[in-house]
Amino acid sequence: MALAKFTSSSRSNLLKPLTTVFSTSDSFRRPISTSTDPLTIETSVPFTSHKCEPPSRSVETTPQELISFFKDMAMMRRMEIAADSLYKAKLIRGFCHLYDGQEAVAVGMEAAITKKDSIITAYRDHCTFVGRGGTLLEVFAELMGRQAGCSKGKGGSMHFYKKEAGFYGGHGIVGAQVPLGCGLAFAQKYSKDETVTFALYGDGAANQGQLFEALNISALWDLPVILVCENNHYGMGTAEWRAAKSPAYYKRGDYVPGLKVDGMDALAVKQACKFAKEHVLRNGPIILEMDTYRYHGHSMSDPGSTYRTRDEISGVRQERDPIERIRKVILAYDLATEKELKDFEKEIRKEVDQAIAQAKESPMPEPSELFTNVYVKGLGTEAFGADRKEVRAVLP
């Protein structure tokens, strides 16, 4: 039975209704469910497809998976809110792009794939890294430029990386990660290992020429790549309708199939990514447009309220928030009590605070680290002074 119905509203089309739930008396609730028995739940809204048959709205899940969705998204949300505070305290410097509001994309995508599959994304990369198995300590240490960071403190917010888990980084150049992702997919097809690559980009990057060039050659060669447009409806200070003549990003591939997905529904994201993986292994690339929303501004220099109203932001929080959706599903199926879910959130706050304290204790990188990870190790590459006469260092 569907937990949601799409109702008409005079509000912006960004605001879609939350799941309708049924209340159950706490006195009849069971302990937190860790069951792996299957449940079937219908997605909040239908998929919209281009040149393909959409997947079923009925998604198979388990109580254990739903609880893990809640905990993972709650941790991501708390982590990003803490990063906001650290930035304002000047403990994080430079660029910083937060992901709160979009957590369902990271969590749902991971539920559909394995660590052998690859993910590459843009600079809003903190939660994608955590979804791939990154730790809170690695996140906060990297944000603060410390040695314990996932990129040894040299990458900062935009350049998280975890190759051993198939995460090929955040990238600062708008849209440049998409051709790299298609290259990863080329390697996967060449090695015949039946894995795929998810190349993520935002609606602001969707107009980049290199994206269409990469998509063209991927379609010619039937590469196993899924282009995921995380459409949060706003670029840097600009609404999508001011930047894109055709904001139906899932149709942008023309000859390449596409699917529009409710990116605020973790179960819908899971179903779409599972469908997409099966598709690309047989037929070549597909585009997924994740209809999502960011609560913060584009970056820390963007207040996020000059080009949209506060009422719009609060309306999305109330009606489409991905964590609240999962909370309501858990309560509707009597998998945990409201108090138990609040206790999870309290424990997550402690974990985040502990990770921040540990990250602050990590030392800054040594100056010599500037010369590492530049060339292949063991080449004996020499660095000279400005006069080209004195050898200053031999790069490791």
Side-chain angles (χ1 to χ4, degrees):
M1 181 176 66
L3 290 174
K5 298 292 181 186
F6 188 65
T7 62
S8 61
S9 172
S10 58
R11 291 188 175 200
S12 162
N13 63 4
L14 293 172
L15 309 184
K16 296 176 184 174
L18 263 179
T19 302
T20 304
V21 296
F22 309 96
S23 60
T24 307
S25 170
D26 281 350
S27 60
F28 294 104
R29 289 193 185 276
R30 302 172 303 207
I32 299 170
S33 178
T34 57
S35 170
T36 56
D37 293 337
L39 288 172
T40 301
I41 299 175
E42 196 166 275
T43 62
S44 53
V45 295
F47 299 102
T48 309
S49 64
H50 169 68
K51 292 188 178 296
C52 65
E53 288 296 320
S56 170
R57 289 182 63 186
S58 298
V59 186
E60 284 196 8
T61 184
T62 65
Q64 185 180 62
E65 182 176 68
L66 291 170
I67 295 291
S68 72
F69 279 3
F70 179 84
K71 292 168 78 172
D72 290 346
M73 287 195 290
M75 182 178 72
M76 291 173 180
R77 177 72 55 85
R78 186 63 197 168
M79 177 185 80
E80 295 294 69
I81 291 170
D84 176 71
S85 299
L86 290 168
Y87 196 95
K88 289 170 180 173
K90 298 185 178 180
L91 290 168
I92 298 174
R93 303 289 187 130
F95 295 102
C96 185
H97 305 78
L98 302 180
Y99 201 73
D100 49 320
Q102 301 181 211
E103 299 92 348
V105 177
V107 168
M109 182 169 57
E110 282 296 339
I113 62 176
T114 74
K115 295 296 187 294
K116 291 182 179 179
D117 296 308
S118 300
I119 298 177
I120 189 167
T121 188
Y123 36 74
R124 205 178 303 277
D125 59 352
H126 310 161
C127 295
T128 311
F129 171 78
V130 170
R132 293 264 87 183
T135 67
L136 289 171
L137 173 59
E138 289 175 311
V139 168
F140 288 115
E142 191 60 41
L143 288 173
M144 290 189 274
R146 310 299 178 108
Q147 286 183 15
C150 59
S151 298
K152 301 181 181 178
K154 298 187 293 183
S157 170
M158 298 197 294
H159 300 290
F160 283 25
Y161 195 75
K162 193 174 180 66
K163 184 181 177 181
E164 66 274 15
F167 182 58
Y168 289 87
H171 291 262
I173 310 270
V174 175
Q177 72 279 6
V178 177
L180 297 177
C182 294
L184 290 169
F186 178 69
Q188 289 167 326
K189 180 162 186 173
Y190 191 81
S191 61
K192 299 180 181 179
D193 58 7
E194 294 296 300
T195 58
V196 304
T197 293
F198 287 77
L200 281 63
Y201 59 99
D203 51 287
N207 300 315
Q208 286 282 317
Q210 58 191 322
L211 188 150
F212 294 96
E213 294 175 35
L215 183 61
N216 177 64
I217 199 136
S218 297
L220 276 172
W221 293 347
D222 293 328
L223 300 184
V225 62
I226 297 105
L227 271 63
V228 182
C229 178
E230 294 186 277
N231 182 10
N232 59 28
H233 300 281
Y234 296 96
M236 179 63 183
T238 305
E240 61 175 342
W241 62 267
R242 297 183 66 187
K245 182 65 176 175
S246 171
Y249 299 107
Y250 70 104
K251 294 182 179 179
R252 286 285 194 90
D254 186 18
Y255 43 82
V256 173
L259 197 66
K260 186 173 183 179
V261 184
D262 182 358
M264 305 293 269
D265 181 346
L267 290 170
V269 175
K270 172 190 169 183
Q271 186 81 331
C273 290
K274 180 182 176 184
F275 169 84
K277 179 175 178 177
E278 293 170 357
H279 173 92
V280 301
L281 287 171
R282 298 191 310 268
N283 306 304
I286 191 171
I287 296 174
L288 299 182
E289 178 187 343
M290 300 294 179
D291 181 6
T292 185
Y293 198 84
R294 57 168 166 79
Y295 295 148
H296 269 85
H298 173 78
S299 65
M300 298 307 294
S301 61
D302 172 19
S305 57
T306 56
Y307 47 83
R308 57 183 181 175
T309 65
R310 294 189 184 278
D311 286 345
E312 179 186 298
I313 300 168
S314 62
V316 175
R317 282 185 181 275
Q318 291 170 16
E319 298 186 28
R320 296 186 66 207
D321 186 83
I323 299 175
E324 293 309 308
R325 281 184 163 179
I326 290 294
R327 187 195 304 272
K328 290 179 182 294
V329 172
I330 289 170
L331 295 177
Y333 278 87
D334 197 22
L335 306 180
T337 66
E338 184 69 58
K339 181 182 181 301
E340 287 164 339
L341 296 181
K342 287 185 182 296
D343 288 342
F344 282 147
E345 291 173 309
K346 288 178 184 177
E347 188 60 35
I348 286 166
R349 281 178 180 246
K350 290 180 184 177
E351 290 177 18
V352 169
D353 290 344
Q354 289 171 358
I356 292 170
Q358 286 180 280
K360 287 178 178 177
E361 294 298 317
S362 178
M364 295 289 185
E366 295 293 330
S368 60
E369 273 291 320
L370 285 170
F371 298 104
T372 63
N373 307 118
V374 179
Y375 297 102
V376 175
K377 289 183 179 179
L379 286 182
T381 308
E382 297 176 331
F384 289 81
D387 59 4
R388 300 290 299 165
K389 293 179 180 178
E390 179 187 355
V391 175
R392 297 290 180 86
V394 177
L395 304 190

